[in-house]
Amino acid sequence: MVLSKGLVQTKIPLAKPVFDEEMKNAAIDALQNERFVMGESVSKFEEEFARYCGTKYAVSTSSGTFALQFSLIALGVNRGDHVVTTPYSFVATANAALHVGAVPVFADVDIRTCNIDPELAKEKITSKTRAVIPVHLYGFPADMKSIEDIFGDKGCVVVEDACQAHGAEYCGQKVGALGDVGCFSFYSSKNMTVCGDGGMVVTNDEDIASKVVKLRDCGRASHCEHDSIGFTARLNTVNAAIGRVQLKRLDEWNEKRRACAKLYDEFLNDLDELLLPPTGSFDIKPVYHLYVIRTSLRDKLKVWLEQRGIQCGVHYPLPIHLQPIYRKLFAYKGGEFPKSELLSKTALSLPMYPELRKDEIKYTCQSIHDFFDQI
Ligand SMILES: Cc1ncc(COP(=O)(O)O)c(C=O)c1O
């Protein structure tokens, strides 16, 4: 429906965060009966999240960004060290390296998966390289075996950025549990949220877990003693209480996302003008945080769909190295990472959330067919 010139009512949103009665009750209960900060819900959420990922420890933080930053500090990444990562991600991935005084060194992506290309990453290793941050972009697991082989051999640590991939699986393990450390975000658009900001570090290493516990809580060694320089970056009790309810639903929600992706694949695979997201396999189970198609007519298609009430997104219109601050700090000019730059011009995120209906997917796909029929 066109509301007024240029304004169209959204019929199908890009994402639909869930906040229902059970979450509301859990939030009220936590607010009324627990400490606002570091209440019982926080430790319960951590225990449950660790169990879900199959790791020994999970430590919550106030964001995914802090989860990444604290992981690097806990793993001993220092000023001047190099951290290899992808330029095609949310900016926070690379910022984590800068926050600890390290240098983010980009390696271009595999154009098919949109994840870091291990062979290109290998070329970036020098004597200064201390860590690699693969990102499971859009919920599709990165090539962890190659990354572990290449970087493990060189004595580097692996920090998984699983901020978009809660519950995705790689060779029978949950992502986040594959590297030295895994980091998650619970920002409101993610596959599971805490209805606010939040993050989590998962690991099997007790020393790393206890360092992150201190870092997120002012460097506290005991109630009144602080033996390291920490931050105030705890997850609020009320958010942890909501997270516990959402975690119980995660597998069911991810299954529904996979079913939606399958329908999109089915309705779009006859269009030669489009590239569809990679599908999973026995070993790789993506969770479709986003369903991202690619076309050189991306911008026109986006306008066409939005005129029909279908909200779309672009993840990401600028690769990290071309963000103004990275151009300024590192003198990137464009052309350095051609695959990421191509993706930033061609990727289009279609509506994706567990309650997305078949008729809505059909309508979106029909609208895409109509677009290509009229050009
Ligand atoms: C790939 C990736 N890394 C890191 C982050 C940072 O998480 P947060 O927004 O919780 O700080 C996000 C989330 O937005 C993300 O998508």
Side-chain angles (χ1 to χ4, degrees):
M1 189 210 316
V2 178
L3 298 176
S4 63
K5 201 163 177 270
L7 261 186
V8 181
Q9 190 173 25
T10 299
K11 290 189 216 155
I12 312 177
L14 179 63
K16 225 185 216 179
V18 182
F19 181 63
D20 66 11
E21 250 343 85
E22 193 184 349
M23 292 160 207
K24 192 166 131 191
N25 291 337
I28 291 169
D29 188 49
L31 287 169
Q32 285 178 335
N33 299 312
E34 296 183 45
R35 283 185 290 153
F36 292 153
V37 177
M38 299 314 288
E40 206 189 343
S41 291
V42 175
S43 49
K44 285 192 172 157
F45 184 37
E46 291 172 341
E47 276 164 32
E48 289 158 5
F49 200 80
R51 200 175 314 131
Y52 180 82
C53 291
T55 55
K56 284 192 189 153
Y57 309 98
V59 184
S60 60
T61 56
S62 58
S63 70
T65 303
F66 272 125
L68 288 164
Q69 183 182 335
F70 296 165
S71 298
L72 292 175
I73 299 173
L75 285 160
V77 176
N78 282 314
R79 188 160 293 281
D81 288 343
H82 285 191
V83 176
V84 176
T85 193
T86 165
Y88 195 61
S89 179
F90 182 58
V91 69
T93 307
N95 284 354
L98 289 175
H99 282 307
V100 304
V103 181
V105 175
F106 296 116
D108 212 350
V109 293
D110 173 333
I111 195 79
R112 197 184 58 86
T113 64
C114 307
N115 285 329
I116 194 166
D117 181 329
E119 287 308 315
L120 295 176
K122 188 178 181 177
E123 291 169 15
K124 302 288 172 165
I125 298 176
T126 66
S127 57
K128 290 187 170 175
T129 311
R130 276 285 299 133
V132 60
I133 310 181
V135 180
H136 308 297
L137 201 74
Y138 308 149
F140 192 87
D143 180 354
M144 289 305 293
K145 185 165 178 348
S146 306
I147 288 163
E148 292 281 357
D149 286 351
I150 293 167
F151 284 85
D153 264 8
K154 301 280 177 195
C156 298
V157 291
V158 180
V159 175
E160 291 178 74
D161 182 337
C163 287
Q164 300 189 0
H166 318 64
E169 287 179 28
Y170 181 90
C171 295
Q173 273 185 290
K174 290 274 187 320
V175 302
L178 302 153
D180 293 279
V181 171
C183 299
F184 292 86
S185 163
F186 300 119
Y187 177 73
S188 311
S189 63
K190 304 300 187 201
N191 288 31
M192 66 163 286
T193 83
V194 293
C195 295
D197 277 314
M200 194 76 86
V201 173
V202 298
T203 181
N204 287 315
D205 187 321
E206 187 180 358
D207 182 50
I208 291 167
S210 51
K211 280 183 177 147
V212 176
V213 166
K214 276 191 194 179
L215 282 164
R216 63 134 188 229
D217 192 20
C218 311
R220 203 181 295 277
S222 65
H223 186 54
C224 297
E225 275 184 328
H226 302 259
D227 64 1
S228 57
I229 307 294
F231 300 76
T232 300
R234 299 167 295 240
L235 181 67
N236 287 316
T237 303
V238 61
N239 297 109
I242 295 169
R244 292 185 67 204
V245 180
Q246 296 231 350
L247 181 59
K248 285 194 291 179
R249 312 263 179 84
L250 181 60
D251 282 343
E252 178 199 327
W253 285 341
N254 282 342
E255 263 324 307
K256 287 184 172 172
R257 284 175 183 271
R258 288 188 188 112
C260 291
K262 211 166 157 213
L263 287 174
Y264 272 128
D265 288 349
E266 207 177 290
F267 296 143
L268 294 175
N269 72 8
D270 58 333
L271 280 174
D272 293 338
E273 297 89 339
L274 284 186
L275 282 168
L276 303 184
T279 48
S281 63
F282 181 74
D283 276 339
I284 296 179
K285 294 200 167 60
V287 288
Y288 296 95
H289 169 55
L290 294 167
Y291 185 91
V292 180
I293 59 172
R294 284 181 270 151
T295 166
S296 56
L297 299 174
R298 190 267 310 278
D299 293 337
K300 286 197 177 114
L301 177 58
K302 183 171 188 286
V303 172
W304 174 273
L305 292 175
E306 289 184 342
Q307 280 168 347
R308 280 150 188 79
I310 301 159
Q311 192 185 28
C312 300
V314 174
H315 302 89
Y316 296 90
L318 280 182
I320 301 175
H321 67 289
L322 297 183
Q323 291 290 348
I325 183 65
Y326 280 80
R327 283 181 184 263
K328 191 169 151 193
L329 289 175
F330 299 101
Y332 288 117
K333 301 235 168 329
E336 292 89 353
F337 304 104
K339 291 177 199 150
S340 296
E341 290 171 32
L342 179 66
L343 287 172
S344 70
K345 294 189 184 90
T346 56
L348 183 67
S349 310
L350 300 181
M352 174 53 84
Y353 46 90
E355 300 311 320
L356 185 63
R357 297 191 313 265
K358 184 174 182 178
D359 62 293
E360 293 172 321
I361 296 173
K362 259 190 172 166
Y363 170 68
T364 301
C365 295
Q366 186 55 54
S367 303
I368 295 173
H369 276 268
D370 293 347
F371 172 80
F372 285 108
D373 284 348
Q374 53 84 50
I375 50 167

